Short mmCIF file of all heavy atoms in Angstrom, two decimals:
data_model
loop_
_atom_site.label_atom_id
_atom_site.label_comp_id
_atom_site.label_asym_id
_atom_site.label_seq_id
_atom_site.Cartn_x
_atom_site.Cartn_y
_atom_site.Cartn_z
N MET A 6 0.85 -1.16 0.00
CA MET A 6 0.00 0.00 0.00
C MET A 6 0.90 1.22 0.00
O MET A 6 1.84 1.32 0.78
CB MET A 6 -0.90 0.01 1.23
CG MET A 6 -1.77 1.22 1.30
SD MET A 6 -2.89 1.28 2.72
CE MET A 6 -3.85 -0.18 2.47
N ARG A 7 0.59 2.15 -0.87
CA ARG A 7 1.34 3.41 -0.93
C ARG A 7 0.70 4.42 0.01
O ARG A 7 -0.51 4.61 -0.01
CB ARG A 7 1.36 3.93 -2.36
CG ARG A 7 2.12 3.02 -3.29
CD ARG A 7 2.12 3.50 -4.70
NE ARG A 7 1.38 4.74 -4.86
CZ ARG A 7 1.01 5.25 -6.01
NH1 ARG A 7 1.30 4.63 -7.12
NH2 ARG A 7 0.35 6.37 -6.09
N ILE A 8 1.53 5.07 0.79
CA ILE A 8 1.06 6.01 1.80
C ILE A 8 1.66 7.39 1.54
O ILE A 8 2.82 7.51 1.17
CB ILE A 8 1.52 5.54 3.21
CG1 ILE A 8 1.02 4.13 3.50
CG2 ILE A 8 1.10 6.51 4.30
CD1 ILE A 8 -0.47 3.97 3.51
N ALA A 9 0.88 8.42 1.77
CA ALA A 9 1.38 9.80 1.75
C ALA A 9 1.31 10.32 3.18
O ALA A 9 0.34 10.05 3.89
CB ALA A 9 0.56 10.67 0.83
N THR A 10 2.33 11.03 3.62
CA THR A 10 2.31 11.62 4.95
C THR A 10 2.12 13.12 4.84
O THR A 10 2.47 13.74 3.84
CB THR A 10 3.61 11.32 5.73
OG1 THR A 10 4.72 11.88 5.04
CG2 THR A 10 3.81 9.82 5.90
N TYR A 11 1.58 13.71 5.90
CA TYR A 11 1.37 15.16 5.95
C TYR A 11 1.77 15.65 7.33
O TYR A 11 1.32 15.12 8.35
CB TYR A 11 -0.09 15.50 5.69
CG TYR A 11 -0.39 16.97 5.85
CD1 TYR A 11 0.03 17.89 4.89
CD2 TYR A 11 -1.04 17.45 6.97
CE1 TYR A 11 -0.20 19.24 5.04
CE2 TYR A 11 -1.29 18.81 7.13
CZ TYR A 11 -0.87 19.70 6.17
OH TYR A 11 -1.10 21.04 6.32
N THR A 12 2.62 16.66 7.38
CA THR A 12 3.01 17.29 8.63
C THR A 12 2.80 18.79 8.53
O THR A 12 2.84 19.36 7.45
CB THR A 12 4.49 17.00 8.96
OG1 THR A 12 5.31 17.42 7.87
CG2 THR A 12 4.72 15.51 9.21
N ARG A 13 2.56 19.41 9.68
CA ARG A 13 2.39 20.87 9.71
C ARG A 13 2.80 21.37 11.08
O ARG A 13 2.84 20.63 12.06
CB ARG A 13 0.95 21.27 9.43
CG ARG A 13 -0.01 20.82 10.51
CD ARG A 13 -1.36 21.51 10.36
NE ARG A 13 -2.34 20.98 11.29
CZ ARG A 13 -2.45 21.32 12.56
NH1 ARG A 13 -1.62 22.18 13.09
NH2 ARG A 13 -3.37 20.79 13.33
N ILE A 14 3.06 22.66 11.15
CA ILE A 14 3.39 23.30 12.42
C ILE A 14 2.11 23.43 13.23
O ILE A 14 1.07 23.81 12.70
CB ILE A 14 4.03 24.67 12.18
CG1 ILE A 14 5.39 24.47 11.52
CG2 ILE A 14 4.16 25.45 13.47
CD1 ILE A 14 6.07 25.76 11.12
N SER A 15 2.20 23.12 14.52
CA SER A 15 1.04 23.22 15.39
C SER A 15 0.86 24.64 15.89
O SER A 15 1.82 25.33 16.21
CB SER A 15 1.21 22.28 16.58
OG SER A 15 0.15 22.45 17.49
N THR A 16 -0.40 25.06 16.01
CA THR A 16 -0.69 26.38 16.60
C THR A 16 -0.81 26.26 18.11
O THR A 16 -0.87 27.24 18.81
CB THR A 16 -2.00 26.96 16.05
OG1 THR A 16 -3.05 26.04 16.29
CG2 THR A 16 -1.89 27.25 14.58
N ASP A 17 -0.86 25.03 18.61
CA ASP A 17 -1.06 24.78 20.03
C ASP A 17 0.14 24.00 20.57
O ASP A 17 0.05 22.81 20.82
CB ASP A 17 -2.36 24.01 20.24
CG ASP A 17 -2.71 23.83 21.70
OD1 ASP A 17 -1.96 24.32 22.58
OD2 ASP A 17 -3.72 23.17 21.98
N GLU A 18 1.28 24.66 20.72
CA GLU A 18 2.50 23.98 21.14
C GLU A 18 2.37 23.34 22.52
O GLU A 18 3.05 22.37 22.82
CB GLU A 18 3.68 24.95 21.12
CG GLU A 18 4.11 25.34 19.73
CD GLU A 18 4.65 24.16 18.91
OE1 GLU A 18 5.34 23.30 19.47
OE2 GLU A 18 4.36 24.12 17.72
N ALA A 19 1.48 23.85 23.37
CA ALA A 19 1.33 23.27 24.71
C ALA A 19 0.71 21.87 24.64
O ALA A 19 1.07 20.98 25.39
CB ALA A 19 0.46 24.18 25.57
N ASN A 20 -0.23 21.67 23.72
CA ASN A 20 -0.90 20.38 23.61
C ASN A 20 -0.36 19.51 22.49
O ASN A 20 -0.60 18.30 22.49
CB ASN A 20 -2.41 20.59 23.41
CG ASN A 20 -3.05 21.21 24.62
OD1 ASN A 20 -2.79 20.82 25.75
ND2 ASN A 20 -3.85 22.23 24.41
N GLN A 21 0.32 20.09 21.52
CA GLN A 21 0.88 19.35 20.40
C GLN A 21 2.31 19.84 20.16
O GLN A 21 2.59 20.53 19.19
CB GLN A 21 0.04 19.57 19.13
CG GLN A 21 -1.35 19.06 19.24
CD GLN A 21 -2.13 19.32 17.96
OE1 GLN A 21 -1.57 19.68 16.93
NE2 GLN A 21 -3.42 19.16 18.01
N PRO A 22 3.23 19.49 21.07
CA PRO A 22 4.58 20.05 21.00
C PRO A 22 5.53 19.32 20.05
O PRO A 22 6.72 19.23 20.32
CB PRO A 22 5.05 19.92 22.44
CG PRO A 22 4.38 18.67 22.91
CD PRO A 22 3.02 18.69 22.25
N TYR A 23 5.03 18.79 18.95
CA TYR A 23 5.87 18.01 18.07
C TYR A 23 6.37 18.83 16.90
O TYR A 23 5.59 19.40 16.15
CB TYR A 23 5.11 16.78 17.55
CG TYR A 23 4.69 15.86 18.66
CD1 TYR A 23 3.36 15.74 19.02
CD2 TYR A 23 5.63 15.13 19.36
CE1 TYR A 23 2.98 14.91 20.05
CE2 TYR A 23 5.26 14.30 20.40
CZ TYR A 23 3.93 14.20 20.74
OH TYR A 23 3.55 13.39 21.76
N SER A 24 7.67 18.89 16.76
CA SER A 24 8.26 19.60 15.63
C SER A 24 7.95 18.85 14.35
O SER A 24 7.53 17.69 14.37
CB SER A 24 9.77 19.70 15.81
OG SER A 24 10.36 18.40 15.66
N LEU A 25 8.20 19.50 13.22
CA LEU A 25 8.00 18.84 11.93
C LEU A 25 8.85 17.59 11.84
O LEU A 25 8.39 16.54 11.37
CB LEU A 25 8.33 19.80 10.79
CG LEU A 25 7.37 20.98 10.63
CD1 LEU A 25 7.92 21.99 9.64
CD2 LEU A 25 6.00 20.51 10.20
N GLY A 26 10.09 17.65 12.29
CA GLY A 26 10.97 16.49 12.25
C GLY A 26 10.45 15.34 13.11
O GLY A 26 10.49 14.18 12.70
N ALA A 27 9.95 15.67 14.30
CA ALA A 27 9.40 14.64 15.19
C ALA A 27 8.14 14.01 14.59
O ALA A 27 7.95 12.80 14.68
CB ALA A 27 9.11 15.24 16.57
N GLN A 28 7.29 14.84 13.99
CA GLN A 28 6.09 14.29 13.33
C GLN A 28 6.48 13.34 12.22
O GLN A 28 5.94 12.23 12.11
CB GLN A 28 5.25 15.42 12.73
CG GLN A 28 4.57 16.31 13.73
CD GLN A 28 3.86 17.45 13.04
OE1 GLN A 28 3.05 17.24 12.12
NE2 GLN A 28 4.15 18.68 13.45
N ARG A 29 7.46 13.76 11.40
CA ARG A 29 7.92 12.95 10.28
C ARG A 29 8.50 11.63 10.78
O ARG A 29 8.19 10.56 10.27
CB ARG A 29 8.95 13.74 9.48
CG ARG A 29 9.39 13.12 8.21
CD ARG A 29 10.28 14.03 7.37
NE ARG A 29 11.23 14.81 8.16
CZ ARG A 29 11.15 16.12 8.40
NH1 ARG A 29 10.15 16.82 7.92
NH2 ARG A 29 12.06 16.75 9.12
N ASP A 30 9.32 11.69 11.84
CA ASP A 30 9.92 10.48 12.40
C ASP A 30 8.86 9.50 12.91
O ASP A 30 8.95 8.30 12.67
CB ASP A 30 10.88 10.83 13.54
CG ASP A 30 12.13 11.56 13.09
OD1 ASP A 30 12.41 11.59 11.86
OD2 ASP A 30 12.82 12.12 13.96
N ARG A 31 7.87 10.01 13.59
CA ARG A 31 6.80 9.14 14.12
C ARG A 31 5.98 8.52 13.00
O ARG A 31 5.63 7.34 13.06
CB ARG A 31 5.90 9.93 15.07
CG ARG A 31 6.63 10.29 16.37
CD ARG A 31 5.75 11.03 17.30
NE ARG A 31 4.74 10.08 17.80
CZ ARG A 31 4.07 10.22 18.92
NH1 ARG A 31 4.29 11.27 19.67
NH2 ARG A 31 3.18 9.35 19.30
N LEU A 32 5.66 9.31 11.98
CA LEU A 32 4.90 8.77 10.85
C LEU A 32 5.71 7.70 10.12
O LEU A 32 5.19 6.62 9.79
CB LEU A 32 4.52 9.88 9.87
CG LEU A 32 3.42 10.82 10.35
CD1 LEU A 32 3.36 12.06 9.46
CD2 LEU A 32 2.08 10.11 10.37
N GLU A 33 6.99 7.96 9.88
CA GLU A 33 7.83 7.00 9.18
C GLU A 33 8.00 5.72 9.99
O GLU A 33 7.98 4.62 9.43
CB GLU A 33 9.18 7.62 8.83
CG GLU A 33 9.03 8.65 7.73
CD GLU A 33 10.33 9.36 7.38
OE1 GLU A 33 11.38 9.07 7.99
OE2 GLU A 33 10.28 10.23 6.48
N ALA A 34 8.14 5.84 11.31
CA ALA A 34 8.24 4.65 12.16
C ALA A 34 6.96 3.83 12.12
O ALA A 34 6.99 2.60 12.06
CB ALA A 34 8.57 5.06 13.60
N PHE A 35 5.81 4.50 12.14
CA PHE A 35 4.53 3.79 12.08
C PHE A 35 4.38 3.05 10.75
O PHE A 35 4.00 1.88 10.72
CB PHE A 35 3.37 4.77 12.28
CG PHE A 35 2.03 4.10 12.22
CD1 PHE A 35 1.56 3.34 13.27
CD2 PHE A 35 1.24 4.21 11.08
CE1 PHE A 35 0.32 2.70 13.20
CE2 PHE A 35 0.01 3.57 10.99
CZ PHE A 35 -0.45 2.82 12.06
N VAL A 36 4.68 3.73 9.66
CA VAL A 36 4.56 3.11 8.33
C VAL A 36 5.52 1.93 8.21
O VAL A 36 5.17 0.89 7.65
CB VAL A 36 4.79 4.14 7.22
CG1 VAL A 36 4.90 3.48 5.86
CG2 VAL A 36 3.65 5.17 7.21
N ALA A 37 6.71 2.05 8.79
CA ALA A 37 7.72 1.00 8.69
C ALA A 37 7.27 -0.33 9.30
O ALA A 37 7.70 -1.40 8.86
CB ALA A 37 9.02 1.46 9.34
N ILE A 38 6.40 -0.28 10.30
CA ILE A 38 5.97 -1.53 10.95
C ILE A 38 4.67 -2.09 10.36
O ILE A 38 4.18 -3.12 10.82
CB ILE A 38 5.83 -1.36 12.48
CG1 ILE A 38 4.77 -0.33 12.85
CG2 ILE A 38 7.19 -1.02 13.10
CD1 ILE A 38 4.45 -0.25 14.33
N GLN A 39 4.13 -1.43 9.36
CA GLN A 39 2.92 -1.92 8.72
C GLN A 39 3.30 -2.79 7.52
O GLN A 39 3.99 -2.32 6.61
CB GLN A 39 2.04 -0.76 8.25
CG GLN A 39 1.67 0.23 9.34
CD GLN A 39 1.03 -0.41 10.55
OE1 GLN A 39 0.11 -1.21 10.44
NE2 GLN A 39 1.53 -0.06 11.73
N PRO A 40 2.89 -4.03 7.50
CA PRO A 40 3.26 -4.92 6.39
C PRO A 40 2.78 -4.40 5.05
O PRO A 40 1.59 -4.08 4.87
CB PRO A 40 2.56 -6.23 6.74
CG PRO A 40 2.28 -6.17 8.20
CD PRO A 40 2.08 -4.71 8.51
N GLY A 41 3.70 -4.26 4.12
CA GLY A 41 3.34 -3.86 2.77
C GLY A 41 3.16 -2.37 2.54
O GLY A 41 2.84 -1.95 1.44
N TRP A 42 3.34 -1.55 3.57
CA TRP A 42 3.17 -0.12 3.41
C TRP A 42 4.49 0.53 3.01
O TRP A 42 5.55 0.18 3.53
CB TRP A 42 2.71 0.53 4.71
CG TRP A 42 1.29 0.27 5.10
CD1 TRP A 42 0.49 -0.76 4.71
CD2 TRP A 42 0.51 1.05 5.99
NE1 TRP A 42 -0.74 -0.67 5.31
CE2 TRP A 42 -0.76 0.44 6.10
CE3 TRP A 42 0.76 2.20 6.71
CZ2 TRP A 42 -1.78 0.96 6.90
CZ3 TRP A 42 -0.25 2.71 7.51
CH2 TRP A 42 -1.51 2.09 7.59
N THR A 43 4.44 1.50 2.10
CA THR A 43 5.60 2.31 1.75
C THR A 43 5.15 3.76 1.57
O THR A 43 4.05 4.02 1.08
CB THR A 43 6.28 1.84 0.44
OG1 THR A 43 5.32 1.88 -0.61
CG2 THR A 43 6.84 0.43 0.56
N ILE A 44 6.01 4.67 1.95
CA ILE A 44 5.70 6.09 1.78
C ILE A 44 6.05 6.47 0.35
O ILE A 44 7.18 6.33 -0.09
CB ILE A 44 6.48 6.95 2.78
CG1 ILE A 44 6.05 6.61 4.20
CG2 ILE A 44 6.27 8.44 2.49
CD1 ILE A 44 6.85 7.30 5.29
N SER A 45 5.04 6.94 -0.36
CA SER A 45 5.26 7.33 -1.76
C SER A 45 5.30 8.84 -1.94
O SER A 45 5.73 9.33 -2.97
CB SER A 45 4.17 6.73 -2.65
OG SER A 45 2.90 7.22 -2.27
N ALA A 46 4.82 9.58 -0.93
CA ALA A 46 4.84 11.04 -1.01
C ALA A 46 4.84 11.62 0.39
O ALA A 46 4.28 11.02 1.31
CB ALA A 46 3.65 11.56 -1.79
N ARG A 47 5.49 12.75 0.53
CA ARG A 47 5.52 13.47 1.80
C ARG A 47 5.07 14.91 1.54
O ARG A 47 5.56 15.55 0.62
CB ARG A 47 6.93 13.47 2.38
CG ARG A 47 7.39 12.10 2.84
CD ARG A 47 8.88 12.14 3.21
NE ARG A 47 9.33 10.87 3.71
CZ ARG A 47 9.68 9.84 2.95
NH1 ARG A 47 9.62 9.95 1.63
NH2 ARG A 47 10.08 8.71 3.48
N PHE A 48 4.16 15.38 2.36
CA PHE A 48 3.66 16.74 2.24
C PHE A 48 3.91 17.46 3.56
O PHE A 48 3.66 16.89 4.62
CB PHE A 48 2.16 16.74 1.91
CG PHE A 48 1.85 16.06 0.61
CD1 PHE A 48 1.51 14.72 0.58
CD2 PHE A 48 1.92 16.75 -0.59
CE1 PHE A 48 1.24 14.07 -0.61
CE2 PHE A 48 1.65 16.12 -1.79
CZ PHE A 48 1.31 14.78 -1.80
N GLU A 49 4.41 18.68 3.49
CA GLU A 49 4.75 19.42 4.70
C GLU A 49 4.43 20.89 4.53
O GLU A 49 4.82 21.52 3.55
CB GLU A 49 6.24 19.25 4.98
CG GLU A 49 6.72 19.97 6.21
CD GLU A 49 8.18 19.69 6.47
OE1 GLU A 49 8.49 18.60 6.98
OE2 GLU A 49 9.01 20.57 6.14
N ASP A 50 3.69 21.41 5.49
CA ASP A 50 3.41 22.84 5.53
C ASP A 50 4.18 23.44 6.69
O ASP A 50 4.08 22.98 7.82
CB ASP A 50 1.91 23.13 5.71
CG ASP A 50 1.15 23.04 4.40
OD1 ASP A 50 1.68 23.51 3.38
OD2 ASP A 50 0.03 22.50 4.41
N ARG A 51 4.96 24.45 6.39
CA ARG A 51 5.75 25.12 7.42
C ARG A 51 5.00 26.32 7.99
O ARG A 51 5.58 27.15 8.67
CB ARG A 51 7.10 25.55 6.86
CG ARG A 51 7.96 24.36 6.53
CD ARG A 51 9.33 24.77 6.06
NE ARG A 51 10.17 23.59 5.94
CZ ARG A 51 10.90 23.08 6.91
NH1 ARG A 51 10.89 23.64 8.09
NH2 ARG A 51 11.64 22.00 6.70
N ALA A 52 3.72 26.38 7.72
CA ALA A 52 2.88 27.43 8.28
C ALA A 52 1.91 26.79 9.27
O ALA A 52 1.70 25.59 9.26
CB ALA A 52 2.10 28.11 7.16
N SER A 53 1.33 27.60 10.09
CA SER A 53 0.39 27.14 11.10
C SER A 53 -0.83 26.48 10.47
O SER A 53 -1.26 26.85 9.39
CB SER A 53 -0.05 28.33 11.94
OG SER A 53 -1.20 28.05 12.66
N GLY A 54 -1.40 25.54 11.18
CA GLY A 54 -2.64 24.90 10.76
C GLY A 54 -3.85 25.72 11.14
O GLY A 54 -4.98 25.24 11.07
N LYS A 55 -3.63 26.96 11.53
CA LYS A 55 -4.72 27.84 11.97
C LYS A 55 -5.74 28.09 10.87
O LYS A 55 -6.92 28.26 11.13
CB LYS A 55 -4.13 29.16 12.47
CG LYS A 55 -5.13 30.08 13.09
CD LYS A 55 -4.44 31.30 13.67
CE LYS A 55 -5.43 32.23 14.32
NZ LYS A 55 -4.77 33.39 14.90
N SER A 56 -5.27 28.11 9.62
CA SER A 56 -6.20 28.33 8.51
C SER A 56 -6.11 27.17 7.53
O SER A 56 -5.19 26.36 7.60
CB SER A 56 -5.88 29.64 7.78
OG SER A 56 -4.79 29.46 6.91
N LEU A 57 -7.04 27.10 6.63
CA LEU A 57 -7.03 26.04 5.63
C LEU A 57 -6.20 26.39 4.41
O LEU A 57 -6.13 25.62 3.46
CB LEU A 57 -8.47 25.69 5.21
CG LEU A 57 -9.28 24.97 6.27
CD1 LEU A 57 -10.70 24.74 5.78
CD2 LEU A 57 -8.64 23.65 6.65
N GLU A 58 -5.55 27.53 4.43
CA GLU A 58 -4.66 27.90 3.33
C GLU A 58 -3.32 27.24 3.55
O GLU A 58 -2.36 27.84 4.04
CB GLU A 58 -4.55 29.42 3.24
CG GLU A 58 -5.85 30.05 2.79
CD GLU A 58 -5.67 31.49 2.38
OE1 GLU A 58 -4.56 31.85 1.96
OE2 GLU A 58 -6.65 32.22 2.49
N ARG A 59 -3.28 25.95 3.22
CA ARG A 59 -2.08 25.14 3.40
C ARG A 59 -1.75 24.48 2.07
O ARG A 59 -2.39 23.52 1.67
CB ARG A 59 -2.31 24.09 4.47
CG ARG A 59 -2.59 24.71 5.83
CD ARG A 59 -2.80 23.65 6.86
NE ARG A 59 -4.14 23.82 7.41
CZ ARG A 59 -4.79 22.91 8.10
NH1 ARG A 59 -4.25 21.75 8.31
NH2 ARG A 59 -5.98 23.15 8.56
N PRO A 60 -0.76 24.98 1.36
CA PRO A 60 -0.44 24.46 0.02
C PRO A 60 -0.16 22.96 -0.03
O PRO A 60 -0.62 22.28 -0.95
CB PRO A 60 0.80 25.26 -0.38
CG PRO A 60 0.74 26.50 0.44
CD PRO A 60 0.09 26.11 1.73
N ALA A 61 0.56 22.43 0.95
CA ALA A 61 0.88 21.00 0.91
C ALA A 61 -0.37 20.16 1.15
O ALA A 61 -0.52 19.08 0.55
CB ALA A 61 1.97 20.66 1.93
N LEU A 62 -1.27 20.61 2.00
CA LEU A 62 -2.52 19.89 2.22
C LEU A 62 -3.34 19.85 0.93
O LEU A 62 -3.85 18.80 0.54
CB LEU A 62 -3.33 20.53 3.34
CG LEU A 62 -4.68 19.88 3.65
CD1 LEU A 62 -4.49 18.43 4.11
CD2 LEU A 62 -5.43 20.68 4.69
N THR A 63 -3.42 20.98 0.27
CA THR A 63 -4.14 21.04 -1.01
C THR A 63 -3.50 20.11 -2.03
O THR A 63 -4.20 19.36 -2.71
CB THR A 63 -4.18 22.49 -1.53
OG1 THR A 63 -4.83 23.31 -0.56
CG2 THR A 63 -4.91 22.58 -2.85
N ALA A 64 -2.17 20.14 -2.12
CA ALA A 64 -1.47 19.26 -3.08
C ALA A 64 -1.71 17.79 -2.75
O ALA A 64 -1.96 16.98 -3.64
CB ALA A 64 0.03 19.56 -3.05
N GLY A 65 -1.67 17.45 -1.47
CA GLY A 65 -1.91 16.07 -1.07
C GLY A 65 -3.32 15.60 -1.38
O GLY A 65 -3.53 14.47 -1.83
N ARG A 66 -4.28 16.46 -1.17
CA ARG A 66 -5.66 16.09 -1.47
C ARG A 66 -5.89 15.91 -2.96
O ARG A 66 -6.74 15.16 -3.38
CB ARG A 66 -6.61 17.15 -0.90
CG ARG A 66 -6.56 17.15 0.63
CD ARG A 66 -7.47 18.15 1.23
NE ARG A 66 -8.84 17.69 1.02
CZ ARG A 66 -9.89 18.48 1.03
NH1 ARG A 66 -9.75 19.77 1.21
NH2 ARG A 66 -11.08 17.99 0.84
N ARG A 67 -5.08 16.60 -3.76
CA ARG A 67 -5.20 16.48 -5.22
C ARG A 67 -4.33 15.34 -5.76
O ARG A 67 -4.38 15.05 -6.95
CB ARG A 67 -4.79 17.78 -5.88
CG ARG A 67 -5.80 18.88 -5.63
CD ARG A 67 -5.44 20.12 -6.39
NE ARG A 67 -6.46 21.15 -6.14
CZ ARG A 67 -6.22 22.42 -6.19
NH1 ARG A 67 -5.03 22.87 -6.47
NH2 ARG A 67 -7.19 23.28 -5.93
N GLY A 68 -3.50 14.78 -4.91
CA GLY A 68 -2.67 13.66 -5.35
C GLY A 68 -1.34 14.06 -5.96
O GLY A 68 -0.66 13.24 -6.56
N ALA A 69 -0.96 15.32 -5.81
CA ALA A 69 0.33 15.76 -6.35
C ALA A 69 1.45 15.29 -5.44
O ALA A 69 1.29 15.22 -4.23
CB ALA A 69 0.36 17.29 -6.45
N LYS A 70 2.58 14.96 -6.02
CA LYS A 70 3.73 14.52 -5.22
C LYS A 70 4.65 15.69 -4.94
O LYS A 70 4.87 16.53 -5.80
CB LYS A 70 4.50 13.42 -5.95
CG LYS A 70 3.72 12.14 -6.03
CD LYS A 70 4.57 11.05 -6.61
CE LYS A 70 3.75 9.78 -6.68
NZ LYS A 70 4.54 8.68 -7.18
N THR A 71 5.21 15.69 -3.70
CA THR A 71 6.22 16.69 -3.36
C THR A 71 7.43 15.99 -2.83
O THR A 71 7.41 14.84 -2.49
CB THR A 71 5.70 17.69 -2.31
OG1 THR A 71 5.41 17.01 -1.09
CG2 THR A 71 4.52 18.46 -2.81
#
């Protein structure tokens, strides 16, 4: 199964204190233990998730690879 991952900066650092690198590491570790799963695309927004204007989220929903 091909998997795409999505990471973004949290607007709530107190409740979601995970950096982009930490999010990526956790997602990759999870995918690695799933039989037959491989990451085929990674999407990352370096802006807050406060609004829906997130280019990587839009690209991921459309199936574009980054």
Side-chain angles (χ1 to χ4, degrees):
M6 178 179 300
R7 295 179 359 193
I8 303 299
T10 61
Y11 175 75
T12 55
R13 66 167 173 81
I14 293 175
S15 175
T16 56
D17 186 1
E18 289 296 322
N20 294 315
Q21 297 179 12
Y23 299 109
S24 70
L25 292 170
Q28 290 175 53
R29 188 173 39 253
D30 292 346
R31 290 182 70 157
L32 287 166
E33 289 177 0
F35 179 76
V36 170
I38 62 172
Q39 305 306 312
W42 287 23
T43 58
I44 296 174
S45 62
R47 291 172 178 82
F48 299 93
E49 180 176 283
D50 278 319
R51 292 184 173 271
S53 163
K55 187 175 181 179
S56 79
L57 289 177
E58 291 194 27
R59 297 181 240 163
L62 179 61
T63 301
R66 294 180 71 202
R67 290 185 179 152
K70 291 187 180 182
T71 63

